Amino acid sequence: MIETLQSSIIISCQAPSDSPLHNPDIISAIAKACVNQGAKGLRIDSPSHIRAVKQLLPDIPVIGLWKQMGLNSSVYITPRFIDALAVSEAGADIIAIDATQRSRPDGETLAEIITQIKEKLGKLVMADIDTLENAMAASDAGADFIGTTLYGYTEITQDLIPPSFEFIEKLVKTIDKPIICEGGIKTPEEARKALDLGCFSVVVGTAITGIDLLAQKFIKITQEVILHETSWETF
């Protein structure tokens, strides 16, 4: 599995919870379309979606996670061991977790969750991090992969824009674990640059499968043009 994912594109097939695409059958169809075009791995959210994808594509490595909102914590990517257990039982090969040092809903520590995933579930762990310090902590705690997923999306990095190739270079040089570039990759050229810098693999999401967000961007800019033209007509 690790050899399959090395130097490859992993596609994140997800949809907002209020989208009509947020359906196991639809997500699995999108995943199959991506695999048909050469994707070597998938990143899938929620047990029901993971299960549907693995039933359709049993031989494709899946990085599974479960976004859990409303737990009185800013940590929402597989925040508890019980969430990791559900992801594992659904068939995920690698379990992605928030690997920041923020407080978790049930008071578990990052090290505790990683240890339980590896020892009780026998699964590999992808640590979604935001800073070099948190990457080092996750690596020391036993994470198998370090992902740049949360760079630019946490309280202390919210003013930063992913992807940061400077940040990626630091990770590759500092962390003795496979680095997975995820977050903000918009073009094939950016994905190739991340691999050239030494990333183990690259996860691409919105740029390929983010239909809702992509449509929203096109509609928004079109509406802005219409408003601009209207303002000139009334001037």
Side-chain angles (χ1 to χ4, degrees):
M1 179 179 62
I2 292 177
E3 291 179 356
T4 298
L5 293 178
Q6 188 168 10
S7 301
S8 71
I9 297 297
I10 298 167
I11 299 183
S12 179
C13 302
Q14 301 182 39
S17 59
D18 60 350
S19 168
L21 301 178
H22 191 78
N23 176 287
D25 292 335
I26 294 175
I27 292 296
S28 60
I30 294 172
K32 190 173 191 307
C34 294
V35 170
N36 285 350
Q37 298 307 315
K40 300 300 184 182
L42 303 162
R43 182 167 160 120
I44 308 294
D45 171 35
S46 85
S48 62
H49 292 185
I50 294 166
R51 191 172 292 109
V53 169
K54 289 301 287 187
Q55 287 175 350
L56 186 63
L57 302 162
D59 298 326
I60 301 300
V62 167
I63 300 172
L65 62 140
W66 196 0
K67 293 180 180 177
Q68 295 281 46
M69 308 297 190
L71 296 177
N72 296 317
S73 171
S74 55
V75 174
Y76 64 89
I77 297 177
T78 325
R80 306 168 297 183
F81 175 70
I82 191 173
D83 305 316
L85 174 61
V87 168
S88 176
E89 291 177 342
D93 302 287
I94 300 168
I95 299 176
I97 65 172
D98 180 308
T100 66
Q101 296 298 312
R102 297 176 293 181
S103 298
R104 296 164 202 279
D106 288 352
E108 297 167 292
T109 67
L110 174 64
E112 288 171 345
I113 293 176
I114 291 177
T115 297
Q116 289 186 86
I117 291 173
K118 294 172 71 68
E119 294 184 356
K120 294 184 179 180
L121 306 181
K123 297 295 177 77
L124 299 173
V125 176
M126 176 177 173
D128 291 347
I129 58 88
D130 57 344
T131 66
L132 180 60
E133 292 73 23
N134 284 336
M136 295 170 67
S139 179
D140 291 342
D144 300 284
F145 303 93
I146 304 296
T148 60
T149 317
L150 292 173
Y151 178 90
Y153 297 99
T154 60
E155 296 85 348
I156 60 175
T157 65
Q158 61 186 347
D159 295 328
L160 304 176
I161 300 174
S164 168
F165 295 110
E166 180 180 355
F167 179 60
I168 289 169
E169 281 190 278
K170 288 180 181 178
L171 286 176
V172 170
K173 292 177 180 178
T174 307
I175 307 296
D176 188 25
K177 295 286 177 69
I179 305 300
I180 297 178
C181 174
E182 178 174 10
I185 295 293
K186 298 177 287 297
T187 67
E189 290 75 21
E190 288 182 338
R192 179 56 189 264
K193 183 173 182 178
L195 292 174
D196 288 343
L197 288 173
C199 283
F200 174 80
S201 56
V202 177
V203 174
V204 184
T206 300
I208 296 175
T209 62
I211 296 174
D212 300 271
L213 291 175
L214 291 171
Q216 185 183 79
K217 288 181 179 179
F218 276 89
I219 300 302
K220 182 179 178 181
I221 196 167
T222 303
Q223 289 175 336
E224 290 175 350
V225 170
I226 292 173
L227 288 173
H228 178 72
E229 290 178 347
T230 303
S231 67
W232 276 107
E233 290 174 0
T234 57
F235 180 70

PDB file of all heavy atoms in Angstrom, residues 212-228:
ATOM      1  N   ASP A 212     -19.353  21.934  -5.418  1.00  0.00           N
ATOM      2  CA  ASP A 212     -20.129  22.999  -4.785  1.00  0.00           C
ATOM      3  C   ASP A 212     -19.334  24.298  -4.695  1.00  0.00           C
ATOM      4  O   ASP A 212     -19.819  25.370  -5.077  1.00  0.00           O
ATOM      5  CB  ASP A 212     -20.564  22.565  -3.380  1.00  0.00           C
ATOM      6  CG  ASP A 212     -21.436  21.316  -3.401  1.00  0.00           C
ATOM      7  OD1 ASP A 212     -22.657  21.445  -3.517  1.00  0.00           O
ATOM      8  OD2 ASP A 212     -20.870  20.205  -3.330  1.00  0.00           O
ATOM      9  N   LEU A 213     -18.088  24.193  -4.196  1.00  0.00           N
ATOM     10  CA  LEU A 213     -17.272  25.398  -4.030  1.00  0.00           C
ATOM     11  C   LEU A 213     -16.849  25.982  -5.366  1.00  0.00           C
ATOM     12  O   LEU A 213     -16.808  27.209  -5.533  1.00  0.00           O
ATOM     13  CB  LEU A 213     -16.041  25.066  -3.185  1.00  0.00           C
ATOM     14  CG  LEU A 213     -16.306  24.749  -1.712  1.00  0.00           C
ATOM     15  CD1 LEU A 213     -15.027  24.318  -1.021  1.00  0.00           C
ATOM     16  CD2 LEU A 213     -16.897  25.967  -1.007  1.00  0.00           C
ATOM     17  N   LEU A 214     -16.537  25.130  -6.339  1.00  0.00           N
ATOM     18  CA  LEU A 214     -16.134  25.631  -7.647  1.00  0.00           C
ATOM     19  C   LEU A 214     -17.287  26.353  -8.338  1.00  0.00           C
ATOM     20  O   LEU A 214     -17.106  27.434  -8.918  1.00  0.00           O
ATOM     21  CB  LEU A 214     -15.642  24.478  -8.515  1.00  0.00           C
ATOM     22  CG  LEU A 214     -14.325  23.837  -8.077  1.00  0.00           C
ATOM     23  CD1 LEU A 214     -14.053  22.577  -8.882  1.00  0.00           C
ATOM     24  CD2 LEU A 214     -13.171  24.820  -8.211  1.00  0.00           C
ATOM     25  N   ALA A 215     -18.484  25.776  -8.259  1.00  0.00           N
ATOM     26  CA  ALA A 215     -19.650  26.429  -8.851  1.00  0.00           C
ATOM     27  C   ALA A 215     -19.920  27.763  -8.164  1.00  0.00           C
ATOM     28  O   ALA A 215     -20.222  28.771  -8.825  1.00  0.00           O
ATOM     29  CB  ALA A 215     -20.871  25.523  -8.725  1.00  0.00           C
ATOM     30  N   GLN A 216     -19.763  27.782  -6.855  1.00  0.00           N
ATOM     31  CA  GLN A 216     -19.996  28.998  -6.085  1.00  0.00           C
ATOM     32  C   GLN A 216     -19.054  30.114  -6.530  1.00  0.00           C
ATOM     33  O   GLN A 216     -19.470  31.275  -6.685  1.00  0.00           O
ATOM     34  CB  GLN A 216     -19.779  28.697  -4.599  1.00  0.00           C
ATOM     35  CG  GLN A 216     -20.088  29.836  -3.661  1.00  0.00           C
ATOM     36  CD  GLN A 216     -19.773  29.460  -2.221  1.00  0.00           C
ATOM     37  OE1 GLN A 216     -18.620  29.485  -1.797  1.00  0.00           O
ATOM     38  NE2 GLN A 216     -20.809  29.092  -1.473  1.00  0.00           N
ATOM     39  N   LYS A 217     -17.787  29.772  -6.766  1.00  0.00           N
ATOM     40  CA  LYS A 217     -16.810  30.773  -7.198  1.00  0.00           C
ATOM     41  C   LYS A 217     -17.175  31.364  -8.555  1.00  0.00           C
ATOM     42  O   LYS A 217     -17.093  32.574  -8.767  1.00  0.00           O
ATOM     43  CB  LYS A 217     -15.411  30.148  -7.249  1.00  0.00           C
ATOM     44  CG  LYS A 217     -14.805  29.855  -5.893  1.00  0.00           C
ATOM     45  CD  LYS A 217     -13.419  29.273  -6.048  1.00  0.00           C
ATOM     46  CE  LYS A 217     -12.787  28.990  -4.699  1.00  0.00           C
ATOM     47  NZ  LYS A 217     -11.429  28.395  -4.838  1.00  0.00           N
ATOM     48  N   PHE A 218     -17.562  30.499  -9.498  1.00  0.00           N
ATOM     49  CA  PHE A 218     -17.937  30.973 -10.830  1.00  0.00           C
ATOM     50  C   PHE A 218     -19.168  31.877 -10.766  1.00  0.00           C
ATOM     51  O   PHE A 218     -19.219  32.930 -11.403  1.00  0.00           O
ATOM     52  CB  PHE A 218     -18.193  29.786 -11.769  1.00  0.00           C
ATOM     53  CG  PHE A 218     -16.950  29.247 -12.402  1.00  0.00           C
ATOM     54  CD1 PHE A 218     -16.216  28.251 -11.787  1.00  0.00           C
ATOM     55  CD2 PHE A 218     -16.500  29.744 -13.618  1.00  0.00           C
ATOM     56  CE1 PHE A 218     -15.059  27.746 -12.364  1.00  0.00           C
ATOM     57  CE2 PHE A 218     -15.353  29.254 -14.211  1.00  0.00           C
ATOM     58  CZ  PHE A 218     -14.619  28.249 -13.585  1.00  0.00           C
ATOM     59  N   ILE A 219     -20.161  31.463  -9.992  1.00  0.00           N
ATOM     60  CA  ILE A 219     -21.389  32.249  -9.877  1.00  0.00           C
ATOM     61  C   ILE A 219     -21.111  33.595  -9.224  1.00  0.00           C
ATOM     62  O   ILE A 219     -21.601  34.640  -9.678  1.00  0.00           O
ATOM     63  CB  ILE A 219     -22.452  31.487  -9.063  1.00  0.00           C
ATOM     64  CG1 ILE A 219     -22.801  30.165  -9.748  1.00  0.00           C
ATOM     65  CG2 ILE A 219     -23.694  32.343  -8.874  1.00  0.00           C
ATOM     66  CD1 ILE A 219     -23.323  30.308 -11.158  1.00  0.00           C
ATOM     67  N   LYS A 220     -20.286  33.581  -8.195  1.00  0.00           N
ATOM     68  CA  LYS A 220     -19.985  34.818  -7.469  1.00  0.00           C
ATOM     69  C   LYS A 220     -19.310  35.845  -8.365  1.00  0.00           C
ATOM     70  O   LYS A 220     -19.713  37.016  -8.398  1.00  0.00           O
ATOM     71  CB  LYS A 220     -19.090  34.518  -6.265  1.00  0.00           C
ATOM     72  CG  LYS A 220     -18.779  35.747  -5.424  1.00  0.00           C
ATOM     73  CD  LYS A 220     -17.918  35.390  -4.227  1.00  0.00           C
ATOM     74  CE  LYS A 220     -17.576  36.635  -3.408  1.00  0.00           C
ATOM     75  NZ  LYS A 220     -16.713  36.305  -2.248  1.00  0.00           N
ATOM     76  N   ILE A 221     -18.301  35.417  -9.126  1.00  0.00           N
ATOM     77  CA  ILE A 221     -17.588  36.371  -9.967  1.00  0.00           C
ATOM     78  C   ILE A 221     -18.472  36.863 -11.107  1.00  0.00           C
ATOM     79  O   ILE A 221     -18.394  38.023 -11.530  1.00  0.00           O
ATOM     80  CB  ILE A 221     -16.272  35.764 -10.506  1.00  0.00           C
ATOM     81  CG1 ILE A 221     -15.374  36.874 -11.036  1.00  0.00           C
ATOM     82  CG2 ILE A 221     -16.537  34.713 -11.585  1.00  0.00           C
ATOM     83  CD1 ILE A 221     -13.952  36.437 -11.305  1.00  0.00           C
ATOM     84  N   THR A 222     -19.369  36.007 -11.587  1.00  0.00           N
ATOM     85  CA  THR A 222     -20.296  36.419 -12.637  1.00  0.00           C
ATOM     86  C   THR A 222     -21.261  37.468 -12.109  1.00  0.00           C
ATOM     87  O   THR A 222     -21.552  38.466 -12.780  1.00  0.00           O
ATOM     88  CB  THR A 222     -21.095  35.208 -13.160  1.00  0.00           C
ATOM     89  OG1 THR A 222     -20.176  34.222 -13.635  1.00  0.00           O
ATOM     90  CG2 THR A 222     -22.016  35.609 -14.294  1.00  0.00           C
ATOM     91  N   GLN A 223     -21.744  37.250 -10.903  1.00  0.00           N
ATOM     92  CA  GLN A 223     -22.658  38.211 -10.296  1.00  0.00           C
ATOM     93  C   GLN A 223     -21.978  39.549 -10.061  1.00  0.00           C
ATOM     94  O   GLN A 223     -22.583  40.608 -10.230  1.00  0.00           O
ATOM     95  CB  GLN A 223     -23.198  37.656  -8.975  1.00  0.00           C
ATOM     96  CG  GLN A 223     -24.168  36.496  -9.154  1.00  0.00           C
ATOM     97  CD  GLN A 223     -24.590  35.883  -7.836  1.00  0.00           C
ATOM     98  OE1 GLN A 223     -23.888  35.988  -6.826  1.00  0.00           O
ATOM     99  NE2 GLN A 223     -25.751  35.237  -7.833  1.00  0.00           N
ATOM    100  N   GLU A 224     -20.706  39.523  -9.702  1.00  0.00           N
ATOM    101  CA  GLU A 224     -19.960  40.761  -9.491  1.00  0.00           C
ATOM    102  C   GLU A 224     -19.834  41.545 -10.793  1.00  0.00           C
ATOM    103  O   GLU A 224     -19.945  42.775 -10.806  1.00  0.00           O
ATOM    104  CB  GLU A 224     -18.579  40.444  -8.917  1.00  0.00           C
ATOM    105  CG  GLU A 224     -18.613  39.941  -7.482  1.00  0.00           C
ATOM    106  CD  GLU A 224     -17.249  39.516  -6.989  1.00  0.00           C
ATOM    107  OE1 GLU A 224     -16.325  39.430  -7.829  1.00  0.00           O
ATOM    108  OE2 GLU A 224     -17.104  39.253  -5.783  1.00  0.00           O
ATOM    109  N   VAL A 225     -19.620  40.832 -11.899  1.00  0.00           N
ATOM    110  CA  VAL A 225     -19.529  41.482 -13.204  1.00  0.00           C
ATOM    111  C   VAL A 225     -20.861  42.115 -13.570  1.00  0.00           C
ATOM    112  O   VAL A 225     -20.932  43.254 -14.041  1.00  0.00           O
ATOM    113  CB  VAL A 225     -19.105  40.466 -14.292  1.00  0.00           C
ATOM    114  CG1 VAL A 225     -19.250  41.087 -15.676  1.00  0.00           C
ATOM    115  CG2 VAL A 225     -17.671  40.021 -14.055  1.00  0.00           C
ATOM    116  N   ILE A 226     -21.950  41.397 -13.329  1.00  0.00           N
ATOM    117  CA  ILE A 226     -23.289  41.909 -13.637  1.00  0.00           C
ATOM    118  C   ILE A 226     -23.577  43.161 -12.818  1.00  0.00           C
ATOM    119  O   ILE A 226     -24.083  44.165 -13.335  1.00  0.00           O
ATOM    120  CB  ILE A 226     -24.363  40.835 -13.367  1.00  0.00           C
ATOM    121  CG1 ILE A 226     -24.204  39.692 -14.373  1.00  0.00           C
ATOM    122  CG2 ILE A 226     -25.763  41.420 -13.448  1.00  0.00           C
ATOM    123  CD1 ILE A 226     -25.101  38.497 -14.090  1.00  0.00           C
ATOM    124  N   LEU A 227     -23.235  43.146 -11.549  1.00  0.00           N
ATOM    125  CA  LEU A 227     -23.456  44.305 -10.690  1.00  0.00           C
ATOM    126  C   LEU A 227     -22.630  45.488 -11.159  1.00  0.00           C
ATOM    127  O   LEU A 227     -23.083  46.631 -11.153  1.00  0.00           O
ATOM    128  CB  LEU A 227     -23.104  43.957  -9.234  1.00  0.00           C
ATOM    129  CG  LEU A 227     -24.070  43.023  -8.509  1.00  0.00           C
ATOM    130  CD1 LEU A 227     -23.502  42.625  -7.143  1.00  0.00           C
ATOM    131  CD2 LEU A 227     -25.430  43.703  -8.335  1.00  0.00           C
ATOM    132  N   HIS A 228     -21.399  45.221 -11.595  1.00  0.00           N
ATOM    133  CA  HIS A 228     -20.527  46.290 -12.078  1.00  0.00           C
ATOM    134  C   HIS A 228     -21.104  46.927 -13.340  1.00  0.00           C
ATOM    135  O   HIS A 228     -21.160  48.152 -13.466  1.00  0.00           O
ATOM    136  CB  HIS A 228     -19.133  45.726 -12.364  1.00  0.00           C
ATOM    137  CG  HIS A 228     -18.177  46.735 -12.920  1.00  0.00           C
ATOM    138  ND1 HIS A 228     -17.641  47.743 -12.145  1.00  0.00           N
ATOM    139  CD2 HIS A 228     -17.673  46.908 -14.173  1.00  0.00           C
ATOM    140  CE1 HIS A 228     -16.841  48.489 -12.898  1.00  0.00           C
ATOM    141  NE2 HIS A 228     -16.841  47.991 -14.130  1.00  0.00           N
TER     142      HIS A 228
END
